[in-house]
Amino acid sequence: MAETKTTFCRICEAACGLEVTVENNRIVKVEPDRDHVVTQGYACIKGIKFGEVHHSPDRIRHPMKRVGDQWVRITWDRAFAEIGEKVKTLRKTHGPSSIAMYMGNPAAFSGTHPVFSQGFLAGIGSKNFFSAGSQDCNNKFAVTTRMYGSPAIQPIPDVDASGCMIIVGSNPAISQMSFVSMPRSIERIRAVEQRGGKVYWINPRKTESARNLGEQVFIRPDTDVFFLLSFLNELIATGGVDQAKVRKYMKNYEAAERIAKQWPAEQTEKITGIPAEKLREVVRAYRTAKGAALYCSTGLNMAANSTLAYWVLNTINAVSGNLDKRGGMLVSKGLVDLPRLGKMAGVGKPSRRRSRIGGFEPVMDSYPAGILPDEILTPGKGQIRALFVSAGNPLLSCPNGARMEEALKKLELIVSVDMFRNETGNLAHYILPGLSFFERPDLPMPANGFQPIPYLQWTDAVVEPDGEQRDEWWIYTELARACGIDIFGVKPVQRYFNLNRLVSKIPFVGDRIGFKAEMSMNALVLASRQVTPGDLKRKPHGVLLKPNPENVFLGKGVLTDDGKIDLAPPEFVEESRKLVRDYADELAGRDKLKLISKRERFTHNSWMHNIGEFVKGERKTNYLYMHPEDARRAELEDGDIAEIRSATATVSAPVKITDEMMPRVVALPHGWGHGKADGLSIAKDTTGANANLLAADGPDSLERFAGMAHLNGIAVDVRRSRQPMAEAG
Ligand code: SF4
């Protein structure tokens, strides 16, 4: 009999409420949850269609081992035994650092997956942890570690009370917003205008968000930091600095002011493309609003100088008085005070540790994925010889996939913990099947601390696995046992899980007293002192928590040693000297084409191309979006196949001509290029090109502080292809 269950989507931070109809353990319908306390009947097509991902015939349902070029089913016990033996040998012969982990974006949307996967690596004793963060967000953690004393402090726009929103490099109509859990984001941003406020979209492309809302301001890729420095310059010149707040709660204002004064709008307009008068208008709107929010997302994060740009952005919000202010940027404590707890556990200070290749500081404990090929290919102590890939696909999502492939093929062991055999999984030795979000009990953890309207929701698993798929906490505790290590590096914890293993095999008893993911999450809920696990079970559509207050961060929540916001951390000041050279390079290259990425309604990074409906007809490929002037210059017409050439690689894609693009900027959606994915029966027939092949890897190509890959703003040449699409793509 059909039954309707309440849950929430775990694809992006919006965490939209869903109603799922289940019949005989099959998901037959997914609809937005109209009664959800925040999402109120909103969910996008990706969440609504996730049942097809869940039930895909391509899902890995049993542990698999590659034997030659064949994949064979093996038992969990055999998989653990073989992997365990190999890990023991590598650890003994080459040391713990020879074993590394890459964690993909989906893992972050589970309450337990990241905790236990990193706990496994900690037990191994290796610091070689890599994540997708260096593709899209680690610059944010690097900045707030230095300015506020914790990577976990990330101010969020108080959109529902804001009088002005300036949004840099974000397209919420297609992908909601990052680092803000804001479902129905367009509706809520539109309300800013309806209240008489202003909205500006700063972007090299007039996105779907800007079509009928706010004002588009085109900006040349890679120049965000110059725009923001001129913004700060103008704010200072027009008396927009709240000097009393600066004196009381911040330090090093003079150093930040000195840098901003070097970049007047008349100078930066030559490279940003934003006329000085337009910049002044934007600053005026921001300065005169009762509460104003300057926010950025992946467009800025994936471009050059992303750490410096995010630093200046935070400086503007702080010195203007908009930080910790209603309608401006608020700091949400979330369920528990994670920044303070992290600080007590020693997280929050810049680390002294450095990567073997390139000398990068870890951000959120992870090194840049752009050095992973070098870490594998460069001989010496600490060379990586084995890789655990947890819900990730570095071949498609990291820069220079061709070099990544060359490196991965040299590894002695690759273990992929995943729902599918993706391109990276094809190179693995073992694939261990993890759960889909419909099979997992959870809290919306990634949304915690990022919610303009704080709430909490509990979900049970809505269906049981239909094969031998297991929760990632179980996979990693079992791997730890098999490898002869202690999860988290803590012996009593591993002993507990070894005992749990025995208990769970006892009929009737195991189910009652064995470890469950809910146990750790219930502890967190109780620690919040705002709500109990019982409340959450009784209210399946979520429970509203206390609203985010203003005036709780400055002087009270800043976790630097002296409790003041550092407006000019010395490393950033030093790095800002290189902007003179970058400015000259931008000026010299302003007639060259630059490539940016683009989000699409039916895709989410590399994961959604295995749904038939999402890739049918026109949607079977990605397109190169070009301004009419640029297309004319390259003698390309709509539908022609273009060859896109960077210093790293060449790919091909059909052209779409649109004046939504800024001249001299082309866009190619990322996450495509599944030609070799024979484990993804639908995606492998798509013809899209992998945009990230065009990006460079290696330490000299990465942003200095957070090791961010340069995925937006790649210098390219575009010409008509002489090959037919099948060969060119
Ligand atoms: S907006 Fe994000 S969380 Fe909501 S349904 Fe879409 S993918 Fe899922």
Side-chain angles (χ1 to χ4, degrees):
M1 203 178 79
E3 192 185 350
T4 299
K5 302 184 181 186
T6 308
T7 186
F8 54 87
C9 179
R10 276 150 278 175
I11 299 175
C12 81
E13 284 98 320
C16 299
L18 300 174
E19 296 268 353
V20 181
T21 308
V22 178
E23 195 167 1
N24 297 328
N25 202 37
R26 279 196 74 81
I27 293 165
V28 292
K29 192 160 59 169
V30 180
E31 291 181 299
D33 175 4
R34 282 174 190 76
D35 299 320
H36 190 277
V37 289
V38 172
T39 63
Q40 295 173 3
Y42 175 82
C44 83
I45 188 78
K46 289 167 251 200
I48 291 167
K49 290 285 176 185
F50 204 78
E52 290 185 35
V53 175
H54 173 88
H55 286 303
S56 167
D58 293 336
R59 260 192 87 177
I60 302 290
R61 292 181 163 81
H62 313 278
M64 303 293 285
K65 176 182 180 176
R66 181 159 56 85
V67 181
D69 52 7
Q70 297 294 312
W71 283 93
V72 295
R73 177 177 166 180
I74 59 172
T75 63
W76 277 109
D77 282 347
R78 184 165 156 213
F80 289 138
E82 291 182 8
I83 295 166
E85 276 315 300
K86 184 70 187 169
V87 167
K88 281 179 191 165
T89 307
L90 286 172
R91 267 185 101 217
K92 196 164 163 204
T93 317
H94 301 288
S97 302
S98 62
I99 298 151
M101 178 173 285
Y102 176 89
M103 197 176 83
N105 181 301
F109 291 88
S110 148
T112 51
H113 187 158
V115 178
F116 282 85
S117 54
Q118 285 183 259
F120 171 72
L121 198 67
I124 293 277
S126 170
K127 304 286 186 199
N128 275 327
F129 177 64
F130 301 84
S131 78
S134 58
Q135 278 93 270
D136 63 10
C137 65
N138 275 357
N139 59 317
K140 291 195 166 184
F141 298 123
V143 166
T144 60
T145 297
R146 285 173 170 80
M147 289 185 76
Y148 308 134
S150 171
I153 297 172
Q154 295 292 340
I156 56 171
D158 186 24
V159 59
D160 301 317
S162 186
C164 174
M165 283 198 69
I166 300 166
I167 301 166
V168 187
S170 176
N171 185 10
I174 296 299
S175 52
Q176 303 304 312
M177 296 166 90
S178 65
F179 280 49
V180 194
S181 178
M182 210 166 92
R184 300 182 293 108
S185 49
I186 284 294
E187 187 188 317
R188 291 158 75 181
I189 296 167
R190 191 182 304 285
V192 176
E193 270 195 341
Q194 287 164 347
R195 291 193 294 270
K198 290 289 291 185
V199 175
Y200 292 97
W201 305 97
I202 316 291
N203 208 308
R205 186 172 79 86
K206 184 169 183 182
T207 67
E208 293 79 355
S209 304
R211 279 186 194 156
N212 302 303
L213 167 61
E215 187 176 333
Q216 168 71 24
V217 178
F218 285 110
I219 184 168
R220 176 119 170 118
D222 291 332
T223 66
D224 308 291
V225 68
F226 296 99
F227 160 69
L228 291 163
L229 282 165
S230 289
F231 192 119
L232 180 56
N233 179 317
E234 178 66 14
L235 190 76
I236 294 167
T238 53
V241 173
D242 186 332
Q243 294 290 355
K245 272 192 180 173
V246 168
R247 271 194 303 279
K248 193 163 177 195
Y249 300 118
M250 303 170 205
K251 63 184 175 189
N252 294 329
Y253 169 75
E254 294 72 19
E257 182 185 62
R258 259 196 311 279
I259 296 165
K261 284 200 165 163
Q262 294 165 27
W263 300 102
E266 280 73 14
Q267 187 180 351
T268 58
E269 71 176 1
K270 293 178 192 142
I271 60 165
T272 61
I274 299 176
E277 260 325 297
K278 178 54 70 179
L279 181 135
R280 292 204 170 93
E281 176 199 314
V282 175
V283 175
R284 197 159 44 242
Y286 175 86
R287 185 170 52 77
T288 54
K290 264 195 175 152
L294 175 58
Y295 162 85
C296 76
S297 187
T298 51
L300 178 148
N301 300 347
M302 291 156 68
N305 289 312
S306 52
T307 300
L308 293 185
Y310 192 57
W311 159 48
V312 182
L313 182 146
N314 275 272
T315 300
I316 292 167
N317 282 326
V319 302
S320 63
N322 278 306
L323 178 61
D324 201 19
K325 176 179 168 183
R326 181 70 52 222
M329 302 292 284
L330 297 179
V331 176
S332 171
K333 212 162 69 169
L335 194 55
V336 290
D337 193 346
L338 276 182
R340 206 169 288 279
L341 287 175
K343 190 88 183 168
M344 281 154 59
V347 181
K349 280 200 186 314
S351 171
R352 294 224 176 95
R353 190 153 51 83
R354 293 292 180 267
S355 61
R356 183 175 74 110
I357 303 293
F360 285 93
E361 179 184 321
V363 176
M364 295 295 275
D365 241 14
S366 72
Y367 289 129
I371 60 166
L372 182 54
D374 285 297
E375 291 279 8
I376 296 169
L377 294 169
T378 311
K381 193 164 176 275
Q383 181 182 5
I384 292 172
R385 292 162 192 272
L387 184 68
F388 286 79
V389 181
S390 225
N393 194 0
L395 268 194
L396 251 65
S397 60
C398 293
N400 196 354
R403 189 139 184 279
M404 182 67 82
E405 183 170 356
E406 178 197 337
L408 295 186
K409 283 180 171 168
K410 295 273 191 306
L411 288 170
E412 294 178 40
L413 174 70
I414 303 177
V415 179
S416 168
V417 177
D418 212 293
M419 289 169 63
F420 290 95
R421 175 159 58 87
N422 60 27
E423 289 77 356
T424 305
N426 264 343
L427 302 180
H429 300 88
Y430 299 89
I431 306 179
L432 307 180
L435 299 183
S436 100
F437 69 68
F438 288 129
E439 292 157 337
R440 248 188 3 237
D442 242 329
L443 295 169
M445 283 310 290
N448 181 48
F450 288 146
Q451 296 167 321
I453 305 173
Y455 75 94
L456 198 56
Q457 183 177 11
W458 171 259
T459 179
D460 287 318
V462 296
V463 282
E464 294 292 318
D466 57 358
E468 293 183 281
Q469 303 96 320
R470 294 298 302 254
D471 205 319
E472 290 78 8
W473 71 258
W474 181 85
I475 296 175
Y476 282 108
T477 53
E478 285 294 293
L479 276 171
R481 182 188 54 78
C483 296
I485 55 140
D486 302 317
I487 192 117
F488 305 112
V490 180
K491 200 170 274 310
V493 178
Q494 186 62 42
R495 280 200 184 130
Y496 166 79
F497 280 105
N498 290 350
L499 188 66
N500 182 64
R501 179 173 201 267
L502 299 176
V503 167
S504 64
K505 289 184 177 161
I506 306 172
F508 307 113
V509 178
D511 267 2
R512 290 198 166 78
I513 61 171
F515 175 83
K516 294 189 180 63
E518 331 23 355
M519 288 158 72
S520 55
M521 290 188 264
N522 282 349
L524 204 60
V525 172
L526 285 170
S528 77
R529 294 205 234 151
Q530 294 192 54
V531 65
T532 67
D535 296 336
L536 293 180
K537 296 243 163 161
R538 277 190 296 277
K539 298 188 174 171
H541 307 286
V543 177
L544 288 172
L545 304 178
K546 287 181 213 145
N548 295 317
E550 58 180 343
N551 299 324
V552 289
F553 181 59
L554 300 178
K556 299 172 194 120
V558 180
L559 295 176
T560 51
D561 289 343
D562 57 5
K564 292 195 165 191
I565 295 173
D566 191 349
L567 297 172
E571 304 93 323
F572 296 167
V573 172
E574 179 60 33
E575 184 74 359
S576 71
R577 296 188 213 289
K578 97 181 219 320
L579 292 177
V580 174
R581 199 180 62 230
D582 289 356
Y583 178 86
D585 290 347
E586 285 295 335
L587 201 58
R590 65 185 157 168
D591 289 333
K592 300 240 168 74
L593 280 182
K594 282 198 177 200
L595 175 77
I596 59 169
S597 186
K598 174 181 179 302
R599 295 268 189 191
E600 294 177 305
R601 187 162 170 249
F602 292 95
T603 71
H604 187 79
N605 300 332
S606 63
W607 357 334
M608 287 287 176
H609 300 134
N610 210 39
I611 298 181
E613 192 189 325
F614 282 12
V615 292
K616 73 176 180 203
E618 270 225 311
R619 299 200 287 262
K620 196 177 177 181
T621 188
N622 55 351
Y623 294 85
L624 183 74
Y625 294 84
M626 288 185 95
H627 188 273
E629 265 176 33
D630 295 321
R632 204 162 32 246
R633 199 168 296 115
E635 298 181 357
L636 282 160
E637 292 184 10
D638 230 26
D640 282 351
I641 304 301
E643 206 172 85
I644 309 138
R645 185 183 300 241
S646 74
T648 308
T650 302
V651 300
S652 298
V655 169
K656 274 196 195 276
I657 298 173
T658 167
D659 59 9
E660 287 182 352
M661 294 306 302
M662 184 181 191
R664 306 286 189 276
V665 182
V666 291
L668 183 66
H670 66 277
W672 290 82
H674 300 285
K676 294 182 190 164
D678 56 358
L680 302 169
S681 58
I682 297 171
K684 86 169 179 343
D685 289 334
T686 60
T687 54
N690 178 2
N692 290 5
L693 285 173
L694 298 164
D697 69 322
D700 298 337
S701 308
L702 306 178
E703 184 271 335
R704 196 54 235 155
F705 288 103
M708 300 299 292
H710 188 203
L711 300 172
N712 268 347
I714 303 168
V716 290
D717 280 330
V718 174
R719 62 182 68 168
R720 184 196 291 268
S721 173
R722 295 207 179 88
Q723 291 174 299
M725 185 60 199
E727 289 169 52

